[in-house]
Each structure stands twice: as structure tokens, then as C-alpha cells.
Amino acid sequence: MRIGGIITVLILVGIGFAATFFITDEWVEGQVEYQASLLNEAKVELDDFEFSLWNLQVKWGRLQVANSNNTMQNTFETGDTEFSMEFWPLILKNKVIVDNVRLTGFQIDTERETDGAFEMPEDIEEDGKPGFIYGVVSQVSREASKNAEVKFTDVRDDLNVDSLMAKVNIQSIDKIDSLRNGIQQNYSKWDSTFKNTKVNEEVAKVRSTVETIKPKEIKKPKEVLEAIENVKKLRKQVDSLKTRTENLKQNFEEDYGTTRDDLGQVDNWIKDDYQRALNVAKLPDLDVQNIGKALFGQNLLGDYAAYLEYVAIAREYGSRLMGEEDSTKEIPRYEGLDYEFTDKYDYPGFWFKNIELSGRTKSDIDISGMVTNISSSQKKTGEPVKFDINGTDDNEVALTVNGELNYLEKEPRESFNVNYSGFTLSKARISPSDLLPYKLKSGKGELNVEMNIIDKRIDSRIDYLAKNISFDFEAAGQPKNRIESLIRNAIGSTDQIDVAALIDNIDGPLRVRVRSNVDDLFMNALRQTVSQEVENAKRKIEAEVQKQVEGKKEQLEEFKAEKEAELRQRYEELQAKVDEQLKVVEEKKKELEERKKELEDSLKDKVKDKIGIDF
Amino acid sequence: MFLIMRYIAKLLKALASEASPGQIAGGIILGMIIGLTPLSSLHNLLIVVLILVLKVNIGMALLSFTIFSGIAYLADPLFHSFGVWLLELESMQETWTSMYNNEWIALTEFYNTVVIGSLATAILLCFPMFPLATYGVLQYRKHIHEKMMKWKVVKAFKGTKLYSIYETVSRVRG
């Protein structure tokens, strides 16, 4: 035994322990921040980080997760947080498995003091494509702003159509011209096809061959038989020419058939132009289906888009983590392959089983609740993320958020429910629409949002209830026009407004429907006032659009019919040539058959004359 | 440069007379195990402790580690194949499973094809390597050392200023 060696080992062990004691906090903090920032594509920062090697305990005073779309804002941040990692998964497989996390000071959408932009390494591809739910968010946001633009009380009878049409880009005329060019090109193509087809040439060849066969000049039966064989071959050739001609016709019909479909679209193009002109004129569509959207659409859909954005974030993270661990990698040299004899260590990269969360919302509601099973692979844990958070403030305003993010199956599923109730409506405007420009004197509100998303299918409902309300008509002064006065009368006795918005794409494209218990009241008031003006304005616009595209469709149809007739004539000429040749060949065959009979008969007569036996 | 020279000189000294053939052979086989197997494996920590604690020749262990690391790089695919064969041995499945389920044993990463393949190869090689190395040292001392000292290269090396400084320092240190 070497005494010096033993002392060296002991010194090395001592240095090792000392080093871990002094440098682990900073090193682990750096690693965690870097890896989390890679995943987040924006900075993830920890303050007052502590890591204890003895019990694998992690603590931090503040965690900020920057929003990659707006790096001056945090998606969320937390205050004091504490948890202990399981020993063996960390040591054996580098996996972070945590049973319980205590997380305080949770807040969403907080402002940052510094920019949270994170420079991604070049070898990591950034996902440039926005996800499906982000697409829906922008669709819903567009719908919300569109609803905000509808003006009911500004409709005038003296609509200046000329200035309006100057702003509208009438596209039908260009599209019709382009279609005309297409028809011309198609005509040229088929014209050249019919002119240059080899069928004409081959028909001429057959004709000259048939003409060389002269049955009357054939003297021997053997020669007749040979000629009949040749005619049979010619018949086959003409049959093949007929088939080719018919195929040509079929292709021509199919090709021209598509042009016919394009012609059918002209009416739709004109309708689109008309709709575009209506949109520029911002004329309201006086349909009860649209009243709810115009009254409450902007607010409700705005809220909905905000909630949906959180689901989009969840799906984005979920999809980044999904499948990552299932990817098969090539075995790196000198690293070998790990055999798994049991699933004992088949952990996900990280798994926070229970997170006890508390914090405060922007509207100062103290919230608390549980989030369970946040992991890097739900397939490995077999558990979806579930959350159930609620809270109330001193004024009994309550918030409940619960839901599930399920990525266990091939199709990702998110379900989400938010209930926000008891908030005061005093001095609030219930709708941004010009139809309801009044503040409320009193009232309490309740908002309930339910979303179910399975892959790309969304089914969601928002219910908004304003109860015990009274409108402050006095502050608005005297009604400015008849419509205002009618609306005041209609809603003056209403003490509750109940709105439901349904947003889904179950039967096709995204559908947004908003209905409320006051839609009919508003509809009646509008029918009595602006209805006539709207209809007049619409008629003017329609007439102007029709004027601009007038005759274009007919001219196009005429042009198309003329060209088609020319081509049909060419085809029919070709077909007639082939049919005629078929007839000639048949006749020649008949003549040869007759000649054959004549020669046979004369042969029989000669034999009879010589031997005196009648056959 | 001085360190390398010092290392070469020490090695030559050890080979010539300073260390026993057993100590040199011990250094060779322990260095070989570290060299052939993945460096970060847990068993290598134990081997390093053994090198430090036992009276094996550390210089020879370092030389052996360097040489066998190069060999291991070339033989890596063979170790992997051997590891696959070992881990898939039907008769061993129960043993591997119970070893795998024991966290302390699993720490050795025996379930990795290169770790088990290279370690088994290194252990098997220890049996012929130890007597061969011992024999080799004896043969060197008997037949080669004297001749080698007469080589021009060795003489030139011994004649360098650096070597004389090293000699002086060694004498002073005793």
C-alpha cells in the first residue's frame, strides 16, 4: 500500500466535495437557464437559485419565462419555489423527477425590466410556422375587429357610389379577360391538334391503296383472296383511325368541359366584387344573426382569442416535447447502446408530478390550485397535464380555471374552462357598438369560457351574463336620432343581458355565432329605422357593379361558343373522312366478294363443260 | 518539455531497475482497463484509486492508458458487438434483469454495450497480460537495456542540458 496514494485519494475526494459545494449553484443555474431558454426560444431566468447536492433540493426566489413573441414581457413568472428531485432517476438517467413542487407568486403576462430575447444556436432550427391554434387566434381576432367596424347609425340614403367604387377593386373584369385569353390559347392548341393530326395523312394513304384494287381486272381466284385479305387489313387500319379520332374527341370534350366550369365562376366573381363593395361601404347586414356579433362580438371574441393564445402556447410546448424522446438516433462512436431490461428507469426527461401553485392575477385576485403531471413525455408518464386553479378577491370576484392538456394519443387534445364571476359592471360599457353607447349604473358580470380542441377541431362556447343592470341614459343626454330613441325604449326595461358565443369548425371552416337575449329588440328598432336606407344603398352598389361588368359575361360566352363551334366543325370533318373511308373499304370488300363468286362460278362452269358433271 | 523528458527518464529508470516487474505489470493492466473502457465509467474511479493506493508503477499505467485508448478507439465496434452478444445471452437474462433493477449495480452502466463489451475484454486480457508484461520486463532488463543505453539516440538524449538538469534535481531530491 502506498500511504502517499491514500492521502492523494483523500485530498482529491475533499477537493471534489468542496468544489461541488462552491460551484454547483452557479453551474446548475446556468445549465437550467440555457436548456429552458432553448426550449422557450426566449430567456428563462432564475434569481436566488440554490441547489443542494445532499438532498437534491432546488430553490429559487424568482423565475421569469420571457414571451418569445414579445420579449419585453414574461409569459409567466413565479416567486419562491422549492422542490426536491428523486435521486436515482437523476443519477442514473439524468432525468428530473419531482413529486411535489411548492410554487408561490405565480403571475402571468408581467412586464420585464430587460429584453428577454435569446439568441438560438445556429444548429437548432427554429420553428417558423405558426401552429394551427395561432391561426385560429388570428382568425378570431380578425372577426372581432370586423365586428367592431360595423356601423348601424351612420347609414345614409345619399351614398356616393362613385367615390365608393373608386375605392373598390373590381376584379371580375380582369378575371374575365384572363379567362378569355385562356379560351383563346385552348382554341389555338386544339386547332393545331386537328390540323396536324396524322389521321388525315393515313386516311389518304388508305384511300390510295383501296383505289389501286380493281376487282374487275382480277382474273384468278387466288388473287381475289389475296386482295380480300389486304382489304381486311385496311379495314382494321381504318377502325384504329376511328378509335383515335374518338379519343381525340373525348380529350377535346374534357378539356373544353373545364372551360365551361370556369365560365360558371363568373357569377361568383361578380358576387365577390359586390360583397367587397359592401364591405368598403361598411353597410350592416340587417340580419338577427349579425346583431349579436356586432353588439358583443368584439369583446367576447377578444377575450376568447386571449384565452386561446394560452392553449396555443401549451400546444406549442407540448408538440416540441412530443416525439422528441422517441426519435431513433444513430449510435455515436464510443457511446454504445443502452439495454433496458425493465421499464424501471423509463422516465421522461422531466416530470413534475404535483405543483402546488399560488399567486395573483392582474386584477388582484389571489389564486391557488394544483397543476399535475407536467412532463416531457406524456406517453411515458401515461398522465395528461391537469390544472385546477381558483381564487376570490375581497369583493367576492371569483376566478376558476381548470382543464386538461392531453398529448397521450396521436391527436393532441386540450380542454379548458374559465369562469370569472362577480365582477362589477358599474360605469362599464357593455358593448363597444354604436348601437349601445351607454354606460351602466350598476350590475354584476359573469363570464364562462369552455374550449375543447382535438387536433384541428375546435368546439367552444362563451357565455356572458350581465345581471341586475341599469343603463345610464341620463349621462348620454337626449337621443340624437330616432334609432337611439327606439333602442332606449326597447332596452330600458331590461335588467339582464345574456350572451352566448359559439365558435367551432366541426362542420368545416371556423364558424362564429353570437346570440343574445336583446338581439330581437335591436333588430326591431333597426327595421323601423335604417332598414330602408341600407337596402337602397345595397341596390345602388349592386347596380354599379353590374354596370361595370355588364355584357362581359355574355361576350365571353359568345366568344367561347364561336371557338368551340369552329373546333367541332374541324372534328366533324375529320370524323366524316374516317367514316367515308370505312364505307369505301366496306364497298371494296363487297366488290371483291362478288368478284370471287363470279370467278368461282366460271370455274365451275368450265369443269362442268369438260367432264359433264354438274356440281 | 521538461515534464515529458522527466516522464521518459522515469519510465526508463523504472524499466531498468527501480520498480519490480510485478509493479510494472500491475501498472500496465490497470492502465489498460482504463484505456479500453469508456473513461467516465464508474469502475474507472475504482481503478484510479487502486493505481494511487497500490504500489503499481503510475508512469507505466499512464503509458498503458494512452496506448490502449488508441486501441479502444479502433476496437469500439468490436466492443459494441461483443457487448450486444453478452447482453443478449439467453442464459444471462435473469441475472442482467436483477442487476439492472438494483440501482447501485445499474450505476456501473453495465447495460451499455460498449461498457460491458470493453470491460469484459479488458478483464479477459488481464490474465495473459500480467505474466506477459512481467516476463517482458525481465527480458528487457536482461537483454535489451544495456544495448539500448548504447544507442546514439539515447546517448544524445542523455547529453542534453535538460537531462543533466533533471539528473541534478533528482540527486538533490534523493
Side-chain angles (χ1 to χ4, degrees):
Chain A
M1 292 284 263
R2 206 177 345 224
I3 300 298
I6 295 169
I7 293 166
T8 311
V9 170
L10 290 175
I11 290 170
L12 283 175
V13 170
I15 291 171
F17 276 112
T20 54
F21 183 76
F22 288 111
I23 62 170
T24 48
D25 282 1
E26 274 180 35
W27 185 80
V28 175
E29 182 182 340
Q31 287 297 312
V32 171
E33 284 182 340
Y34 181 75
Q35 293 300 331
S37 300
L38 279 180
L39 196 67
N40 185 45
E41 290 179 8
K43 271 185 191 169
V44 173
E45 289 170 311
L46 292 160
D47 295 340
D48 306 326
F49 183 85
E50 282 176 37
F51 174 62
S52 162
L53 254 182
W54 306 113
N55 51 6
L56 298 176
Q57 194 182 50
V58 176
K59 279 184 191 176
W60 63 72
R62 189 185 186 196
L63 161 74
Q64 295 183 80
V65 178
N67 183 340
S68 57
N69 297 321
N70 173 10
T71 51
M72 286 311 291
Q73 201 176 48
N74 289 318
T75 304
F76 70 89
E77 71 168 87
T78 76
D80 286 334
T81 303
E82 192 180 326
F83 59 87
S84 292
M85 294 179 275
E86 283 186 21
F87 177 76
W88 285 115
L90 185 70
I91 298 296
L92 286 172
K93 296 280 177 179
N94 251 345
K95 307 286 173 76
V96 176
I97 310 295
V98 177
D99 275 331
N100 296 301
V101 181
R102 204 171 50 78
L103 190 151
T104 63
F106 180 80
Q107 293 179 75
I108 54 173
D109 291 339
T110 53
E111 295 301 318
R112 290 178 59 88
E113 298 93 43
T114 54
D115 188 3
F118 176 73
E119 200 173 322
M120 295 290 283
E122 280 176 11
D123 54 338
I124 292 181
E125 277 181 38
E126 283 180 56
D127 187 8
K129 279 192 290 180
F132 157 74
I133 302 179
Y134 278 116
V136 178
V137 171
S138 60
Q139 259 179 288
V140 172
S141 304
R142 268 203 305 276
E143 184 82 21
S145 55
K146 201 170 87 186
N147 290 328
E149 285 172 4
V150 183
K151 299 286 177 203
F152 287 90
T153 54
D154 283 357
V155 185
R156 296 279 178 271
D157 204 13
D158 55 347
L159 179 77
N160 186 341
V161 179
D162 288 338
S163 70
L164 170 74
M165 294 310 282
K167 290 181 208 162
V168 181
N169 177 19
I170 296 288
Q171 294 175 356
S172 306
I173 298 166
D174 287 344
K175 285 180 181 170
I176 289 170
D177 285 346
S178 154
L179 186 54
R180 189 188 167 93
N181 289 339
I183 291 171
Q184 177 63 51
Q185 277 174 11
N186 215 3
Y187 166 78
S188 306
K189 182 183 88 182
W190 280 105
D191 185 46
S192 144
T193 308
F194 285 129
K195 259 187 201 162
N196 301 326
T197 178
K198 286 192 172 169
V199 173
N200 281 316
E201 212 175 287
E202 287 180 37
V203 165
K205 266 188 195 169
V206 171
R207 183 183 294 136
S208 67
T209 315
V210 170
E211 277 167 4
T212 57
I213 302 170
K214 299 196 183 330
K216 298 284 175 203
E217 290 170 14
I218 299 175
K219 304 290 180 204
K220 293 176 187 170
K222 194 184 163 191
E223 286 171 356
V224 177
L225 288 173
E226 277 172 9
I228 288 173
E229 277 309 307
N230 286 340
V231 170
K232 277 183 184 168
K233 279 180 192 163
L234 288 172
R235 165 73 205 233
K236 271 185 191 166
Q237 202 178 337
V238 178
D239 279 343
S240 130
L241 287 174
K242 194 174 168 67
T243 314
R244 274 161 66 187
T245 316
E246 277 163 3
N247 287 342
L248 214 58
K249 185 188 178 188
Q250 203 182 338
N251 292 342
F252 163 69
E253 294 283 1
E254 278 171 12
D255 204 6
Y256 254 70
T258 56
T259 327
R260 225 169 283 135
D261 294 341
D262 291 341
L263 272 179
Q265 284 189 354
V266 173
D267 287 334
N268 292 336
W269 296 340
I270 296 171
K271 269 186 204 158
D272 289 346
D273 279 337
Y274 169 58
Q275 195 54 49
R276 215 172 292 118
L278 289 182
N279 291 344
V280 173
K282 290 180 184 165
L283 284 179
D285 198 354
L286 292 183
D287 181 334
V288 74
Q289 298 286 336
N290 296 325
I291 297 295
K293 265 194 207 173
L295 283 171
F296 307 107
Q298 192 189 1
N299 282 354
L300 284 190
L301 298 180
D303 287 349
Y304 176 81
Y307 292 125
L308 196 59
E309 205 160 339
Y310 289 113
V311 181
I313 291 170
R315 177 165 299 184
E316 200 176 299
Y317 283 109
S319 63
R320 271 184 218 168
L321 297 169
M322 266 196 313
E324 196 177 80
E325 296 180 18
D326 297 331
S327 57
T328 48
K329 280 193 264 174
E330 232 177 76
I331 307 165
R333 194 171 173 86
Y334 215 64
E335 282 190 16
L337 190 71
D338 286 350
Y339 270 57
E340 288 171 3
F341 293 94
T342 63
D343 59 2
K344 189 173 177 180
Y345 311 117
D346 192 20
Y347 305 109
F350 63 83
W351 184 7
F352 294 90
K353 293 180 183 172
N354 298 297
I355 302 171
E356 195 185 317
L357 175 148
S358 63
R360 179 167 279 213
T361 67
K362 273 185 162 180
S363 52
D364 287 338
I365 299 176
D366 288 322
I367 51 166
S368 63
M370 290 291 286
V371 180
T372 55
N373 296 307
I374 293 184
S375 70
S376 58
S377 170
Q378 290 190 359
K379 283 178 185 130
K380 289 197 173 174
T381 64
E383 297 288 342
V385 177
K386 287 183 180 170
F387 49 93
D388 187 0
I389 297 158
N390 51 63
T392 48
D393 71 2
D394 299 340
N395 300 315
E396 292 187 353
V397 178
L399 174 73
T400 307
V401 182
N402 55 52
E404 187 177 299
L405 308 171
N406 189 327
Y407 304 119
L408 288 166
E409 307 288 326
K410 201 179 167 192
E411 292 187 322
R413 291 160 180 256
E414 291 95 0
S415 58
F416 187 61
N417 179 264
V418 180
N419 187 278
Y420 182 43
S421 62
F423 53 93
T424 180
L425 293 172
S426 169
K427 292 180 185 164
R429 252 188 85 175
I430 203 165
S431 160
S433 168
D434 61 340
L435 284 176
L436 205 50
Y438 316 110
K439 286 189 175 172
L440 294 171
K441 279 186 197 165
S442 60
K444 292 268 178 186
E446 184 178 340
L447 179 74
N448 192 69
V449 181
E450 254 188 65
M451 279 185 213
N452 285 296
I453 307 173
I454 301 173
D455 194 22
K456 292 186 175 179
R457 297 187 301 283
I458 290 188
D459 187 9
S460 45
R461 182 186 172 101
I462 314 165
D463 287 290
Y464 177 74
L465 178 67
K467 50 192 177 185
N468 304 325
I469 55 169
S470 61
F471 289 97
D472 189 0
F473 294 130
E474 293 85 32
Q478 288 299 309
K480 291 177 198 72
N481 47 39
R482 191 163 163 252
I483 187 171
E484 268 199 45
S485 141
L486 280 168
I487 286 172
R488 284 191 194 190
N489 286 339
I491 60 168
S493 56
T494 309
D495 68 345
Q496 179 170 309
I497 289 182
D498 188 352
V499 191
L502 301 169
I503 299 157
D504 67 76
N505 64 356
I506 292 168
D507 301 321
L510 193 75
R511 203 163 47 149
V512 178
R513 289 164 291 170
V514 183
R515 289 301 311 265
S516 80
N517 61 332
V518 290
D519 292 355
D520 292 332
L521 298 177
F522 279 83
M523 196 63 213
N524 289 336
L526 289 168
R527 280 206 181 112
Q528 288 177 48
T529 51
V530 294
S531 175
Q532 195 55 46
E533 283 90 336
V534 169
E535 287 310 311
N536 287 345
K538 277 186 181 176
R539 261 197 296 277
K540 278 185 188 175
I541 292 170
E542 192 175 5
E544 186 57 30
V545 172
Q546 284 296 347
K547 200 173 102 187
Q548 290 205 19
V549 296
E550 200 173 20
K552 289 273 178 189
K553 188 189 169 191
E554 289 73 21
Q555 282 170 15
L556 183 68
E557 279 173 345
E558 209 175 296
F559 176 74
K560 197 232 157 195
E562 186 188 314
K563 294 293 173 195
E564 196 173 342
E566 280 177 35
L567 290 172
R568 270 189 203 288
Q569 198 186 337
R570 284 193 186 285
Y571 164 72
E572 275 157 17
E573 280 169 12
L574 193 69
Q575 198 178 27
K577 272 185 196 169
V578 174
D579 286 344
E580 189 200 331
Q581 210 48 51
L582 205 62
K583 214 170 137 191
V584 169
V585 171
E586 274 303 309
E587 273 168 14
K588 192 62 79 179
K589 193 182 161 196
K590 208 174 152 193
E591 278 177 44
L592 284 167
E593 294 289 349
E594 278 166 12
R595 181 67 188 149
K596 183 185 154 199
K597 197 167 182 306
E598 274 173 28
L599 288 171
E600 278 173 355
D601 288 347
S602 99
L603 202 65
K604 274 181 196 168
D605 290 344
K606 277 183 188 169
V607 173
K608 189 180 149 192
D609 290 344
K610 280 195 177 172
I611 62 170
I613 299 167
D614 190 0
F615 286 94
Chain B
M1 189 67 187
F2 180 73
L3 282 174
I4 296 169
M5 280 200 152
R6 193 180 144 186
Y7 174 68
I8 296 169
K10 266 201 157 185
L11 267 184
L12 291 172
K13 237 181 188 176
L15 272 172
S17 61
E18 202 178 65
S20 76
Q23 285 171 341
I24 292 172
I28 289 173
I29 61 160
L30 291 178
M32 177 189 75
I33 294 173
I34 302 177
L36 287 181
T37 59
L39 194 62
S40 59
S41 304
L42 187 72
H43 65 260
N44 281 339
L45 199 65
L46 179 72
I47 304 290
V48 170
V49 171
L50 286 178
I51 290 171
L52 292 171
V53 170
L54 297 177
K55 276 192 171 178
V56 294
N57 188 276
I58 296 173
M60 202 49 79
L62 277 172
L63 180 69
S64 167
F65 161 69
T66 313
I67 292 167
F68 282 101
S69 289
I71 294 170
Y73 185 77
L74 298 173
D76 172 49
L78 293 174
F79 293 153
H80 169 71
S81 304
F82 185 38
V84 169
W85 180 78
L86 282 172
L87 292 172
E88 286 184 1
L89 264 180
E90 199 56 48
S91 54
M92 287 296 286
Q93 288 310 301
E94 217 170 295
T95 314
W96 294 140
T97 307
S98 59
M99 282 168 74
Y100 187 79
N101 284 336
N102 183 312
E103 286 90 350
W104 290 102
I105 300 176
L107 262 181
T108 60
E109 293 183 351
F110 76 90
Y111 49 81
N112 179 281
T113 52
V114 171
V115 172
I116 190 84
S118 57
L119 184 64
T121 309
I123 291 169
L124 287 173
L125 281 177
C126 285
F127 295 103
M129 277 301 279
F130 187 80
L132 270 177
T134 315
Y135 179 75
V137 173
L138 290 172
Q139 290 305 306
Y140 170 83
R141 285 179 183 171
K142 201 170 168 189
H143 305 292
I144 306 168
H145 183 70
E146 284 302 315
K147 286 179 190 167
M148 219 174 99
M149 288 301 114
K150 288 172 189 163
W151 287 357
K152 280 180 182 172
V153 185
V154 178
K155 279 182 179 170
F157 173 65
K158 281 185 153 182
T160 57
K161 218 170 188 180
L162 275 171
Y163 187 78
S164 60
I165 294 167
Y166 163 73
E167 284 276 81
T168 316
V169 171
S170 299
R171 265 200 303 277
V172 172
R173 278 186 181 172

